[in-house]
């Protein structure tokens, strides 16, 4: 009933469910509830050492470990892909320590842990997306002192951020920030959406899903409840715009999705394909094709 | 069978399955706080000492520990077994000063204390505020209309018994934002979240 999960590959080691001890989970759970009650505000928490390096998303892993239940179905993506070393390592970690079901299908997941993307398929009510965050403080590059950034958030004094974005315009003629593009949550807190492409920012606004953010090294948790207003900062004469891609996905023909450039050879050959591998393979299985598609029968055999 | 005179009073059991019961209870509370005004099912097989309800007890065992001073209202304080139950199963210190509490448990919802008695958070740390867990006898729809994060458009709910000025109190709490207290209502079989972000829609 309450037996620790034993990893078959590591017979000598037993874990508490989802690795974290219960006291740590309670502490993280309390931080999550306060984060939900104050959308966009960074709640400090006592981050634990995890059996993986910080760059691997220990903050997101701790948040997932604290919310995960035996009946959850977990999806883990890294830059849109379920198959990178990082995504596979985290998925295996939770399969091993919690014995939960995992999936690559966005629509089948109850919890999606992500590094640097929001899936293309629209998230649903009841789903939770957990972001891995390296630098949670959007003002950090402008003001290194934590006491000062806390003060600025308390006063809702975001002039520094406006100045930074405006300097972009002065230098480049447009806002050059394309990743970790700052947002204002429910008209109050300015928040770092983590290093997702700004293409994904509009998906945060009025999302039916709960969005949780965990920064392990910086020991912060923050949240956006479902149906919360999330606005990308901009100026009247330079409104926020997402990246647009000239061509559709070369494998599935999708438009209006975020594409990655893939180098094909050393002669300058390249193609653009969906960054979201589940979205792309789902479309291919449905029969959608792109300019570089193999014949469908072959594609169906992977 | 006669109880031996020197026996320690039997203490009600905690979660049968501490890891998963705590997770399920937390998951219900997280959902409730994410979707204010929505009654969320919470199954609890705890049998805590009266007047602590089994749902409030599940919230306590899921969220409290030695780091969370807890305040009990007059109704709960009048039953020493309640404090003994909470101390034994959570290790949380029971405090007399509501301002010192991270969590407050209210069994007499009609006599809901003034929110100002509790920690409101600090401008630099608005998370350092109290969470009130308030026992009511049932949830319904209709009486109080809410807007705010977690709500698409508007959502209405009712709960009884509660003071008739609850909407005005919630509005005053909202006016302090990002400071303010957060409420979790419990009723048989469920929980309902009222975080500080909720905006009651006043009809006149
Ligand atoms: Zn594609």
């Amino acid at each position: 009933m309450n037996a620790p999960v034993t990893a078959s590959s590591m017979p000598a080691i037993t874990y508490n469910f989802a690795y974290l001890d219960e006291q740590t989970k309670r502490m993280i759970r309390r931080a999550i509830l306060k984060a939900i009650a104050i959308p966009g505000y960074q709640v400090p928490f006592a981050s634990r050492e995890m059996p993986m390096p910080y760059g691997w998303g220990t903050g997101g892993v701790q948040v997932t470990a604290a919310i995960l239940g035996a009946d959850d179905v977990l999806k883990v993506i890294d830059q849109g892909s379920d198959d990178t070393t990082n995504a596979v390592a985290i998925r295996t970690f939770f399969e091993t320590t919690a014995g939960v079901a995992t999936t690559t299908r966005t629509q089948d997941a109850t919890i999606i842990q992500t590094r640097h993307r929001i899936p293309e398929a629209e998230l649903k009510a009841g789903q939770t997306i957990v972001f891995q965050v390296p630098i949670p403080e959007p003002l950090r590059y402008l003001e290194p002192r934590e006491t000062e950034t806390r003060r600025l958030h308390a006063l809702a004094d975001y002039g520094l951020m406006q100045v930074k974005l405006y300097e972009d315009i002065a230098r480049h003629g447009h806002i050059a920030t394309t990743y970790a593009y700052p947002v204002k949550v429910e008209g109050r807190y300015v928040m770092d959406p983590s290093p997702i492409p700004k293409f994904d920012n509009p998906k945060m606004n009025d999302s039916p899903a709960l969005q949780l953010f965990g920064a392990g090294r910086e020991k912060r948790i923050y949240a956006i409840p479902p149906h919360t207003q999330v606005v990308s900062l901009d100026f009247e004469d330079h409104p926020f715009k997402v990246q647009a891609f000239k061509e559709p996905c070369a494998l599935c023909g999708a438009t209006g999705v975020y594409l990655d450039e893939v180098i094909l050879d050393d002669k300058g050959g390249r193609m653009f394909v969906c960054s979201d591998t589940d979205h792309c393979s789902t479309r291919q299985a449905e029969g959608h094709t792109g300019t570089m598609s193999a014949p469908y029968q072959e594609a169906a055999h992977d | 069978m006669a109880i031996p005179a020197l026996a320690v009073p039997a203490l009600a059991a905690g979660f049968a399955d501490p890891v998963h019961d705590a997770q399920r209870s937390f998951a219900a509370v997280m959902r409730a706080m994410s979707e204010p005004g929505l009654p969320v099912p919470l199954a609890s097989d705890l049998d805590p000492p009266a007047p602590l309800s089994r749902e409030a007890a599940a919230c306590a065992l899921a969220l409290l520990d030695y780091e969370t001073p807890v305040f009990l209202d007059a109704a709960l304080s009048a039953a020493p077994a309640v404090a003994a139950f909470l101390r034994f199963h959570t290790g949380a210190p029971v405090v007399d000063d509501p301002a010192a509490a991270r969590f407050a448990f209210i069994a007499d919802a009609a006599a809901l204390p003034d929110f100002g008695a509790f920690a409101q958070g600090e401008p630099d740390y608005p998370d350092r505020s109290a969470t009130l867990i308030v026992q009511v006898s049932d949830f319904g729809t209709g009486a109080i209309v809410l807007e705010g994060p977690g709500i698409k458009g508007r959502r209405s709910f009712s709960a009884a018994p509660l003071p008739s000025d609850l909407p005005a109190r919630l509005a005053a709490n909202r006016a302090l934002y990002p400071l303010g207290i957060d409420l979790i209502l419990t009723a048989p079989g469920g929980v309902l979240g009222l975080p500080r972000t909720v905006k009651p829609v006043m009809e006149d």
Side-chain angles (χ1 to χ4, degrees), chain B residues 17 53-54 60 67 70 82 89 148 168 175 186 193:
Chain B
D17 181 350
S53 76
R54 55 184 48 183
E67 292 183 333
V70 59
V82 170
H89 288 296
T186 67

Side-chain angles (χ1 to χ4, degrees), chain A residues 1-4 16-18 20-26 29 65-66 68-70, chain B residues 12-27 42-46 57-64 88-90:
Chain A
M1 193 160 55
N2 186 26
N16 192 31
F17 179 80
L20 288 179
D21 63 275
E22 292 302 297
Q23 202 280 325
T24 298
K25 286 183 193 168
R26 269 193 304 276
R29 288 167 179 168
L68 191 67
Chain B
F15 285 137
D17 181 350
V19 170
H20 295 103
D21 288 353
Q23 188 278 334
R24 277 190 282 270
S25 303
F26 165 74
L42 169 60
S44 166
D45 51 11
L46 294 171
C59 293
L61 269 53
L63 296 172
L64 305 190
F88 181 80
H89 288 296
T90 73

Side-chain angles (χ1 to χ4, degrees), chain A residues 30 34 41 67 150-151 226, chain B residues 23 63 67 124 127 150 182:
Chain A
R30 292 193 297 260
K34 287 302 178 188
Y41 164 74
I67 67 172
R150 282 216 166 255
R151 209 61 230 143
Chain B
Q23 188 278 334
L63 296 172
E67 292 183 333
D124 288 6
D127 55 301
D182 305 304

Side-chain angles (χ1 to χ4, degrees), chain A residues 50 109 135 155 161 170 204 218 235 276 278 282 291:
Chain A
M50 297 299 285
I135 310 284
L155 298 168
M161 184 59 84
M204 298 189 141
E218 303 271 332
F235 300 93
D276 182 336
D278 168 61
T282 300
T291 55

